[in-house]
Amino acid sequence: MADDWVHAGAEQDVPESPPWPEVTVGEHAVVLVRGEDGQIHAARSRCPHLAAPLTRADVVDQGLECSRHFYTYDLVTGRNTVPGEDADLALPIHAVEVRDGQVWVHTTAPAGANLE
């Protein structure tokens, strides 16, 4: 694979529920999350609201729900799905590929939000 993909572990090591594994992708800590559909997603490991860790976040309706204040971010777009004053918050979501049972995460140009 090209240099912009990082090996993040084996597909079988991503559980169906938290705690989610955290890996370093480029300059960022990322959690590997298995959605309700069984697909693996990669999201920045801190909630953009108040930087709570997301390793123990629940998956609710294909969104990652922060356990601290219950902000929920779509696993595809990263957008906050809970209406309110912080509706513009978004969680950067990285592209993921699973090849031969191995998880690869894209290091640059995260999908969805760009919160650098």
Side-chain angles (χ1 to χ4, degrees):
M1 298 196 98
D3 290 339
D4 50 353
W5 291 89
V6 171
H7 180 249
E11 179 180 21
Q12 69 184 18
D13 293 337
V14 180
E16 293 184 17
S17 60
W20 307 113
E22 185 176 69
V23 296
T24 299
V25 174
E27 299 176 6
H28 304 284
V30 171
V31 290
L32 299 178
V33 176
R34 193 173 294 270
E36 291 174 339
D37 60 1
Q39 287 191 318
I40 296 174
H41 302 270
R44 297 281 172 86
S45 68
R46 296 287 177 166
C47 179
H49 174 233
L50 291 174
L54 296 174
T55 56
R56 294 200 176 270
D58 287 320
V59 173
V60 178
D61 296 328
Q62 279 302 103
L64 192 60
E65 181 184 75
C66 179
S67 59
R68 186 170 291 164
H69 295 112
F70 306 105
Y71 284 76
T72 303
Y73 304 94
D74 184 281
L75 285 170
V76 175
T77 67
R79 294 286 170 203
N80 178 13
T81 62
V82 178
E85 64 184 60
D86 293 322
D88 60 339
L89 284 180
L91 178 69
I93 304 292
H94 290 255
V96 172
E97 288 188 10
V98 178
R99 295 186 180 199
D100 298 322
Q102 300 301 307
V103 179
W104 295 85
V105 178
H106 200 269
T107 60
T108 59
N114 186 11
L115 304 176
E116 298 301 322

